[in-house]
Amino acid sequence: MRVLVVDDSRTLRKVLARELQKLGIEQILEAEDGLVALDMLEKHTVDLMLLDMEMPELDGLGVLERIKDSEHLRHVPVIVISSAEELDKTVRCIEIGAEDYLPKTFNPVLFRARVLSSYEKKRLRDAEKSYLNQLQAEKEMLQIEQMKTERLMLNILPKPIADQLRDHEQTISSEYPDVTILFSDLVGFTRMASGLSPVALVSMLNDLFTRFDKRARLLGLEKIKTIGDAYMAAAGLPIPRADHAEIAADMALGMFEDLAQFNQKNGMTLDMRIGLNTGPVVAGVIGYTKFSYDLWGNTVNLASRMESTSRPGRVQISPTTQAALADKFMFEPCGQVECKGLGPVNTHFLIGRAA
């Protein structure tokens, strides 16, 4: 415990210091006037100040006012020492924030009680402040961890679905009457993969799929998943939009641009098939630990069939997608495709946007 004794009387300072030493307090600083006291407070950390009221230069009331106006000094406990004639100033000091007061002719028992009481109150305030600071630090760390968790969830799930999961909804599923599903698959990937190390293979796939991800985000599609070298995305969910077929068509055409840039950068000749289909789906979150957002329904199955029966370098679309795109895009008939459970389906190749 460190105590600052402020009094213009050297004799009284020594008396106070001696009484403090009787209490086992050895760290005692002395100041002969208010200005010196303020200077010492800037240089030293003190646990208690014994402040005389009547001093030259700057009296006790003036010192206390400056202390309480200071952000880093206002918490220093102050016991004012005053004579009976200085009662008004003493009351003013208490109003400003002095911890306690002692009469000039003080009783040693009263001195001991008030010094130790003031120190104990400061100790408790410091402990409370430390605890609150610790709580604040823990709260900030918790907020950081929550932000990390939310960012991770948004990398796995669409935001509306992540919000539902965060709100502890047990079953998350929705029906969407009109969306467009995109499937793509790389041609020549297996041959390329056989000549690369696993690390190089993953790195190259990540490069290509990152290009697809950026395009999907720009256009407003929802990436669903990748399986090996296959890429699946959907337009029109989880937030429905009327132009879902158009943005899916733009995505499909743009993916070939991304692949061309990828091939040029890496000196490769990979090709790709893409299929599109439009219709109703059911979407939801499955799993408990490694959950994922997935789609189900015949619309998904037909979109996959559109991709698997397409030709390298082409986008094959179903009749429903062709009808949704209407006169906004150009098409090329490509005959019938046999689809399990549906029979023959007349399909088209997507050429580009109409002039």
Side-chain angles (χ1 to χ4, degrees), residues 93-106:
C93 286
I94 297 296
E95 291 173 345
I96 292 175
E99 191 78 29
D100 210 333
Y101 82 98
L102 282 167
K104 269 281 176 69
T105 306
F106 56 84

Side-chain angles (χ1 to χ4, degrees), residues 43-333:
K43 297 176 181 178
H44 303 279
T45 300
V46 301
D47 299 301
L48 178 64
M49 174 190 281
L50 301 181
L51 179 65
D52 184 28
M53 289 300 300
E54 288 299 323
M55 293 182 295
E57 300 293 337
L58 185 64
D59 65 9
L61 180 58
V63 172
L64 188 62
E65 287 174 339
R66 293 196 188 184
I67 289 174
K68 296 305 175 181
D69 285 340
S70 171
E71 182 65 31
H72 65 285
L73 295 179
R74 64 177 56 176
H75 301 296
V76 175
V78 177
I79 297 178
V80 294
I81 301 173
S82 63
S83 61
E85 295 80 18
E86 299 163 341
L87 182 59
D88 290 342
K89 284 188 176 180
T90 302
V91 172
R92 177 60 182 149
C93 286
I94 297 296
E95 291 173 345
I96 292 175
E99 191 78 29
D100 210 333
Y101 82 98
L102 282 167
K104 269 281 176 69
T105 306
F106 56 84
N107 179 290
V109 176
L110 183 62
F111 178 86
R112 173 189 177 90
R114 291 186 172 171
V115 167
L116 294 182
S117 173
S118 295
Y119 175 67
E120 179 63 13
K121 284 187 280 186
K122 180 183 183 300
R123 188 189 67 78
L124 292 174
R125 284 195 299 267
D126 289 347
E128 180 184 26
K129 182 179 179 182
S130 176
Y131 178 66
L132 291 175
N133 288 340
Q134 181 182 350
L135 286 180
Q136 181 62 29
E138 292 175 355
K139 178 181 177 182
E140 291 174 358
M141 288 299 297
L142 180 60
Q143 289 174 337
I144 291 172
E145 292 304 316
Q146 287 176 334
M147 290 173 61
K148 289 180 180 178
T149 300
E150 289 186 9
R151 282 199 298 267
L152 179 60
M153 288 181 65
L154 291 175
N155 282 332
I156 299 172
L157 304 171
K159 187 178 185 307
I161 306 303
D163 291 341
Q164 287 180 265
L165 194 63
R166 189 180 57 212
D167 293 338
H168 308 293
E169 292 191 26
Q170 297 298 314
T171 302
I172 300 175
S173 63
S174 300
E175 294 183 14
Y176 296 90
D178 204 22
V179 301
T180 299
I181 309 299
L182 177 152
F183 277 96
S184 76
D185 190 58
L186 296 177
V187 178
F189 174 78
T190 302
R191 184 176 63 254
M192 178 200 74
S194 63
L196 294 173
S197 69
V199 173
L201 179 63
V202 171
S203 177
M204 296 186 73
L205 272 179
N206 181 63
D207 179 9
L208 180 59
F209 286 165
T210 296
R211 297 169 190 260
F212 294 167
D213 289 348
K214 290 179 179 178
R215 186 175 293 276
R217 176 176 292 182
L218 181 66
L219 290 171
L221 281 83
E222 189 67 43
K223 174 186 175 180
I224 303 302
K225 59 185 172 182
T226 61
I227 304 175
D229 60 331
Y231 189 94
M232 178 184 179
L237 58 77
I239 300 176
R241 53 187 296 175
D243 61 345
H244 55 87
E246 294 177 49
I247 63 173
D250 286 333
M251 175 73 183
L253 297 171
M255 289 171 72
F256 284 109
E257 297 176 11
D258 296 332
L259 180 61
Q261 294 171 2
F262 171 84
N263 283 335
Q264 183 177 10
K265 173 187 173 184
N266 294 283
M268 294 189 168
T269 57
L270 285 176
D271 210 338
M272 181 166 56
R273 295 187 302 267
I274 297 179
L276 298 179
N277 183 36
T278 299
V281 299
V282 174
V285 175
I286 57 173
Y288 177 71
T289 52
K290 295 183 178 179
F291 46 75
S292 65
Y293 184 67
D294 212 343
L295 312 179
W296 300 272
N298 287 332
T299 299
V300 178
N301 298 334
L302 184 54
S304 177
R305 186 67 174 158
M306 289 297 98
E307 176 274 310
S308 63
T309 58
S310 185
R311 298 174 193 169
R314 307 303 296 269
V315 180
Q316 184 171 229
I317 64 175
S318 68
T320 53
T321 302
Q322 194 267 342
L325 295 174
D327 57 351
K328 297 175 182 176
F329 285 79
M330 297 181 293
F331 315 98
E332 174 187 321

